[in-house]
Amino acid sequence: MSKYRGNPEAVRSLVRDLEVHKDVYVDPEVFDLEMEHLFANTWVYVGHASQVPNKGDYYTTTIGRESVVMVRHTDGSIKVLYNRCPHKGVKVAGGTCGNTGKFFRCPYHAWTFKTDGSLLSIPLKKGYENTGFEGCEGKNGMAVVPEVREYREFVFCKLNPGGISFEDFFGESLSTIDNMIDRSPEGRLEVAGGVLRYMHNCNWKMLVDNQTDTCHPMVAHESSAGTAVKVWNEAPEGTPKPMAVELFAPFMSPYEFFEGMGIRIWENGHGHTGVADSIHAAYSPVPGYWDQLVAAYGEERASKILGDTRHNTVYFPNIMIKGPIQTLRLFKPIAVDKTLVESWTFRLVGAPDMLLERTLMYNRLINAPTSVVGHDDLEMYERAQEGLKSRGMEWTNVARLFDPAEKDQKNVTTNGTNEWQMRNQFRAWARFMTESM
Amino acid sequence: MTTEITQKDLIDFVYAEARMLDEQRFEDWLSLFTEDGYYWMPLAPGQDDPKLHTSLLYEDKLLLKIRVERLTGQRTFSQQPMSRSHHLLQLPTVESADPAAGVYTVRAAFHYVETRLDQQALYAGWSTHTLVEQDGQLKIRLKRVDLVNCDAAFGNIQLFM
């Protein structure tokens, strides 16, 4: 018997003001419902337009559990199609990316489809005449994801038609994407440097929760960032501070630093740490970059762009963006206890290579399966995934700095160690989980 | 007073280095690197740029030292209990030798096992050592580790291949 399926009240009761039920992380039925409802009712990140610059370029990925292909159509627009042949269900687009020309051709029986999904041809088509084929689901070709929005080259989609609009869903939160793009003197980003793929044996939401969890770095990362600071302190005086130390050291900032840096809460589960300050604020200037920005934007605006050093921005449900370090992390749910973390990086088009070099160093030091910081975190997630199976307690806790008045507020800034953003995520979770039940 | 480096010296060096790692003699292992030495695990097959394309690892001696110190830290919970490793090397081959410059490259195909608690993972690939002669001793200027599936999604890789 289903505990949660068809029972929106039971799903809603998993989220309390101060607590979240363990089933949210460990129950396979809740996971299935997330894939069916949460990932269909929200605007989910697909990819970046620079991954498909030319007509016929495609990139395959998943939205929740759905295999999709993002493709540059012959009219120049970007389409998102379910990657499934209407004939026998074969994934039509193979591999991760490529160019398919003017049409997709299924490798099994050579059914072909235009890059908007519509059926182009079937071999021996006569065999379908007078069979009633035109009444079949597959007559139109590959299924199209109806709601696709490209925001300054960031492509999002929503699997369920209707519901919340793109603008209402994201509201003011798009300012983080704006800031990352504005950091390019040409106002343009390109996916660059390869993607790090890191398999986690834990629920995807543990990673999302962690992004605005500012009470863990100085504890969980004492082993990595703390050791980095210690080893660096042994270097002879006058040794220039290496880039790696500059990237590691701020993780060891004290609680007061994280309290002071602040968290901004938007609606629908979006929010970011690092309002007044952040661990990315004190990086060394890159020669030539400032002059490029001043030439592009003028001194005042350039200063404003670089002064906005947001730490982690969560776009609910499953991405995090770091504007100052040009990184996008995608938390892909695979099973209730399995998540693929993809860490993507961007080149600021027109900016010095040194910025990309720093971004890539950050990415491999922090987000790689070989990263010591990653090891610290994954150990905690995997312990939590095991620990939460305990029948000793039912709830996890998100009470830190709770204020009953917070519930109707949005676009506000609060203490950087507040768990408000996690509560914000779970309120959004309960809403979009049950919206289509 | 230079002694001639033989093919056997080069091969023995690579075997001894792998053994050091499996015996967890990490401080000794670090001392095998030159001061400007690097350990590199590319992320893409045939990758030739360690800086403008990301890697699994591209670490200088400072970063390697941090990594080694961390392994035994009191609050390094991902290493409690510690991982263990096992290298199985094919006979290394000397790919190039320049005795005048004191620079040699040696390639070895390997299977590598890393294990912790009840998990065991198998990796396969090739290591390429760029070895240099310093004060009559061989040192590692670059150890490059190419995994056959370098672009796959991995769980934690916590030790050294």
Side-chain angles (χ1 to χ4, degrees):
Chain A
M1 203 184 98
S2 297
K3 196 169 170 189
Y4 298 111
R5 182 171 294 282
N7 190 351
E9 207 36 60
V11 172
R12 268 191 288 269
S13 71
L14 293 170
V15 177
R16 293 175 174 170
D17 281 349
L18 307 181
E19 293 173 305
V20 176
H21 195 270
K22 65 176 185 173
D23 280 358
V24 156
Y25 299 99
V26 300
D27 188 303
E29 191 187 26
V30 172
F31 180 82
D32 285 344
L33 293 171
E34 286 179 336
M35 297 304 103
E36 292 167 38
H37 296 281
L38 181 69
F39 278 80
N41 293 331
T42 49
W43 287 90
V44 180
Y45 179 69
V46 186
H48 191 261
S50 67
Q51 293 170 274
V52 290
N54 304 307
K55 288 173 187 177
D57 285 348
Y58 70 87
Y59 160 69
T60 62
T61 182
T62 48
I63 302 298
R65 253 186 322 213
E66 300 292 323
S67 288
V68 299
V69 54
M70 172 173 96
V71 60
R72 181 77 66 177
H73 185 46
T74 36
D75 69 0
S77 66
I78 287 177
K79 307 289 181 192
V80 180
L81 313 174
Y82 288 92
N83 193 5
R84 176 216 194 270
C85 183
H87 184 205
K88 299 292 181 190
V90 168
K91 282 165 83 170
V92 177
T96 309
C97 57
N99 184 289
T100 192
K102 288 195 171 129
F103 57 91
F104 284 113
R105 178 179 182 272
C106 179
Y108 198 6
H109 301 95
W111 288 32
T112 55
F113 312 94
K114 292 182 192 167
T115 44
D116 62 1
S118 57
L119 185 63
L120 186 61
S121 69
I122 300 177
L124 295 174
K125 198 158 187 186
K126 274 191 174 161
Y128 291 93
E129 284 171 10
N130 306 314
T131 60
F133 176 70
E134 45 306 326
C136 293
E137 191 186 21
K139 69 176 190 305
N140 292 326
M142 294 168 73
V144 182
V145 175
E147 308 243 12
V148 177
R149 270 297 295 272
E150 197 182 326
Y151 179 80
R152 300 189 71 183
E153 300 204 298
F154 285 77
V155 181
F156 293 83
C157 77
K158 189 155 62 61
L159 300 182
N160 279 348
I164 193 164
S165 72
F166 181 87
E167 287 74 15
D168 288 345
F169 184 67
F170 285 113
E172 292 185 10
S173 73
L174 293 168
S175 54
T176 289
I177 290 178
D178 289 337
N179 177 260
M180 181 156 71
I181 298 168
D182 291 346
R183 284 168 177 266
S184 152
E186 295 178 22
R188 210 151 51 82
L189 300 175
E190 267 172 16
V191 166
V195 55
L196 284 166
R197 304 171 68 238
Y198 191 175
M199 198 60 85
H200 283 50
N201 291 322
C202 68
N203 188 268
W204 64 277
K205 293 186 296 301
M206 289 187 187
L207 282 130
V208 185
D209 296 349
N210 177 266
Q211 302 311 308
T212 60
D213 180 333
T214 50
C215 287
H216 89 282
M218 68 298 284
V219 182
H221 300 307
E222 185 184 338
S223 97
S224 49
T227 306
V229 171
K230 190 172 143 246
V231 170
W232 166 243
N233 286 340
E234 292 160 8
E237 208 156 321
T239 316
K241 196 178 196 176
M243 190 190 275
V245 174
E246 201 171 85
L247 299 175
F248 267 140
F251 281 73
M252 288 309 289
S253 305
Y255 287 114
E256 298 73 47
F257 175 85
F258 287 98
E259 287 192 302
M261 83 181 198
I263 294 185
R264 186 177 279 127
I265 312 294
W266 292 302
E267 55 206 312
N268 301 319
H270 316 304
H272 81 90
T273 46
V275 181
D277 199 349
S278 97
I279 67 165
H280 306 305
Y283 297 157
S284 301
V286 168
Y289 178 49
W290 169 250
D291 294 339
Q292 286 182 332
L293 279 197
V294 171
Y297 299 112
E299 199 160 323
E300 195 186 329
R301 176 125 191 263
S303 172
K304 219 171 165 185
I305 290 167
L306 293 189
D308 195 347
T309 54
R310 298 177 188 195
H311 172 220
N312 290 343
T313 297
V314 169
Y315 287 105
F316 187 78
N318 69 327
I319 62 168
M320 183 278 281
I321 287 182
K322 276 183 186 298
I325 206 82
Q326 297 96 52
T327 308
L328 184 152
R329 300 185 77 204
L330 177 53
F331 311 113
K332 287 185 160 180
I334 293 176
V336 67
D337 55 359
K338 196 166 187 176
T339 305
L340 173 61
V341 182
E342 292 183 349
S343 297
W344 294 83
T345 42
F346 299 90
R347 176 193 284 281
L348 298 172
V349 176
D353 280 349
M354 177 71 83
L355 281 154
L356 179 61
E357 194 182 326
R358 179 159 70 193
T359 289
L360 298 183
M361 179 184 264
Y362 185 92
N363 207 25
R364 72 173 181 267
L365 288 180
I366 312 299
N367 299 329
T370 37
S371 152
V372 286
V373 171
H375 298 159
D376 292 338
D377 282 326
L378 182 51
E379 175 73 12
M380 296 308 125
Y381 304 147
E382 291 185 349
R383 285 195 197 193
Q385 196 68 36
E386 286 299 305
L388 284 172
K389 290 177 187 161
S390 166
R391 53 180 281 173
M393 296 179 88
E394 297 282 310
W395 300 88
T396 63
N397 197 286
V398 287
R400 196 175 159 72
L401 294 171
F402 173 72
D403 173 358
E406 76 185 30
K407 282 198 253 182
D408 302 319
Q409 297 181 52
K410 59 180 186 189
N411 306 329
V412 291
T413 298
T414 182
N415 180 308
T417 62
N418 199 330
E419 288 176 338
W420 185 348
Q421 170 55 19
M422 294 180 214
R423 296 188 291 272
N424 183 30
Q425 285 159 202
F426 278 105
R427 284 177 201 133
W429 183 90
R431 171 182 170 186
F432 292 107
M433 273 291 272
T434 54
E435 197 179 60
S436 50
M437 276 183 183
Chain B
M1 250 204 17
T2 51
T3 49
E4 198 189 329
I5 302 280
T6 65
Q7 187 183 24
K8 184 170 184 305
D9 292 333
L10 296 165
I11 291 169
D12 286 352
F13 182 94
V14 171
Y15 280 138
E17 188 241 355
R19 182 169 171 170
M20 249 178 220
L21 287 171
D22 293 347
E23 292 177 352
Q24 311 217 323
R25 290 156 51 206
F26 295 117
E27 297 287 340
D28 293 343
W29 178 73
L30 266 184
S31 71
L32 295 181
F33 283 81
T34 62
E35 285 312 303
D36 61 353
Y38 270 86
Y39 178 101
W40 183 19
M41 275 177 81
L43 182 65
Q47 186 178 333
D48 53 13
D49 184 348
K51 292 192 169 169
L52 295 181
H53 192 286
T54 198
S55 301
L56 289 164
L57 285 172
Y58 183 61
E59 307 219 329
D60 61 11
K61 216 166 171 177
L62 176 83
L63 282 170
L64 292 176
K65 194 162 185 255
I66 291 168
R67 211 170 260 281
V68 165
E69 284 218 11
R70 176 185 172 276
L71 286 176
T72 51
Q74 224 183 339
R75 288 182 173 162
T76 304
F77 300 107
S78 78
Q79 282 298 293
Q80 295 170 13
M82 271 192 84
S83 303
R84 295 192 287 259
S85 72
H86 178 261
H87 285 79
L88 185 66
L89 303 190
Q90 199 175 49
L91 178 67
T93 52
V94 178
E95 300 289 305
S96 72
D98 183 349
V103 183
Y104 307 85
T105 54
V106 185
R107 179 186 187 275
F110 68 83
H111 281 187
Y112 170 83
V113 166
E114 194 170 297
T115 175
R116 182 172 175 254
L117 293 164
D118 296 329
Q119 304 293 322
Q120 176 169 292
L122 173 67
Y123 305 88
W126 308 268
S127 64
T128 309
H129 289 72
T130 303
L131 302 176
V132 295
E133 214 180 328
Q134 273 184 2
D135 306 323
Q137 285 193 316
L138 284 173
K139 295 261 184 184
I140 303 170
R141 177 168 287 160
L142 174 67
K143 178 176 180 179
R144 173 179 171 139
V145 177
D146 285 280
L147 286 178
V148 67
N149 61 341
C150 53
D151 47 3
F154 299 112
N156 279 349
I157 300 173
Q158 300 205 57
L159 299 179
F160 304 94
M161 290 189 198

